[in-house]
Amino acid sequence: QKEVEQDPGPLSVPEGAIVSLNCTYSNSAFQYFMWYRQYSRKGPELLMYTYSSGNKEDGRFTAQVDKSSKYISLFIRDSQPSDSATYLCAMRENNAGNMLTFGGGTRLMVKP
Amino acid sequence: SAVISQKPSRDICQRGTSLTIQCQVDSQVTMMFWYRQQPGQSLTLIATANQGSEATYESGFVIDKFPISRPNLTFSTLTVSNMSPEDSSIYLCSVVSGNSYEQYFGPGTRLTVT
């Protein structure tokens, strides 16, 4: 079993839909949680960064962390075709230097 | 956030040759890393580039194959040596700046080995 599991998709939604992207993990020591967006042939772009449990909102994006369930989510409201990309979750322990563990990525397609 | 550039952006190389990839950051950063992303896969950490000392390699990666330099706080190079088609991948530079735990990635170098 991988340390971080993420459904590879593809996930196809119509423009304007609410998108829910999720990751589960097994390591209870993870404290820092990140979401990256990666367009084809580009490097990953940091979207959201949260520490421990709770919610964080930034524009159309909301990140949720539920440490009791070892489950994190990224919600995208009013999705746009420009949101079409691969979304990677990543996480890190508190005292692991900066060693990130990545999920496999979910490919999202938003259709006009 | 830090602005990261990589050179070259892509290259096609012959088996048995070596390629050096450069990573330049627009500000001094505390930590720099090199990742590999094989086609359709997630990111795998190759090594942490340490300024003024030898890089720290992850399991499965060795210095002879992936020598790394980091002469200062804004620049690093990764060399892919004695390449084989299995080295075809995207190579990504990544940095953490200051006291933030936020980690940023460069645009990547797409390497194809024939």
Side-chain angles (χ1 to χ4, degrees):
Chain A
Q1 182 187 5
K2 293 181 182 177
E3 209 167 6
V4 180
E5 297 277 1
Q6 189 175 4
D7 188 330
L11 176 63
S12 181
V13 301
E15 183 175 355
I18 297 175
V19 176
S20 173
L21 304 166
N22 311 295
C23 288
T24 59
Y25 61 94
S26 56
N27 184 352
S28 59
F30 285 139
Q31 295 278 359
Y32 298 90
F33 304 91
M34 281 140 277
W35 285 95
Y36 290 86
R37 176 175 65 194
Q38 186 174 24
Y39 292 114
S40 180
R41 301 175 182 273
K42 302 288 185 182
E45 172 194 5
L46 181 62
L47 276 180
M48 300 288 284
Y49 167 81
T50 53
Y51 171 72
S52 195
S53 285
N55 294 358
K56 185 174 184 178
E57 187 174 323
D58 185 0
R60 296 185 296 111
F61 299 91
T62 300
Q64 286 186 353
V65 175
D66 181 349
K67 290 190 69 183
S68 63
S69 302
K70 298 190 181 69
Y71 188 89
I72 69 171
S73 300
L74 178 70
F75 297 96
I76 307 174
R77 290 184 298 280
D78 187 25
S79 57
Q80 303 295 310
S82 59
D83 295 326
S84 298
T86 296
Y87 290 79
L88 296 152
C89 65
M91 43 199 81
R92 181 174 57 231
E93 297 179 19
N94 198 27
N95 295 314
N98 284 280
M99 173 91 176
L100 285 179
T101 302
F102 282 88
T106 299
R107 186 175 162 217
L108 171 66
M109 295 186 294
V110 181
K111 302 200 170 182
Chain B
S1 66
V3 177
I4 306 167
S5 59
Q6 285 185 234
K7 289 183 182 179
S9 59
R10 58 171 56 204
D11 207 341
I12 300 172
C13 301
Q14 290 195 339
R15 180 196 300 261
T17 63
S18 298
L19 175 72
T20 295
I21 303 167
Q22 298 180 3
C23 175
Q24 179 74 54
V25 191
D26 69 339
S27 59
Q28 292 187 346
V29 293
T30 51
M31 303 192 75
M32 295 181 77
F33 308 90
W34 287 98
Y35 284 80
R36 182 172 73 183
Q37 187 176 30
Q38 295 182 304
Q41 303 295 314
S42 191
L43 284 76
T44 301
L45 179 63
I46 297 172
T48 302
N50 301 308
Q51 194 259 330
S53 64
E54 197 169 281
T56 304
Y57 290 84
E58 297 301 311
S59 176
F61 298 96
V62 295
I63 187 171
D64 290 345
K65 175 68 175 177
F66 298 101
I68 288 171
S69 78
R70 190 179 173 191
N72 56 51
L73 294 176
T74 64
F75 185 79
S76 178
T77 66
L78 168 75
T79 299
V80 186
S81 304
N82 188 26
M83 288 183 285
S84 66
E86 291 72 35
D87 295 319
S88 297
S89 189
I90 299 172
Y91 291 86
L92 294 149
C93 174
S94 179
V95 304
V96 172
S97 60
N99 294 320
S100 166
Y101 285 101
E102 297 178 354
Q103 188 163 339
Y104 300 94
F105 286 83
T109 296
R110 183 177 293 270
L111 171 62
T112 302
V113 183
T114 61

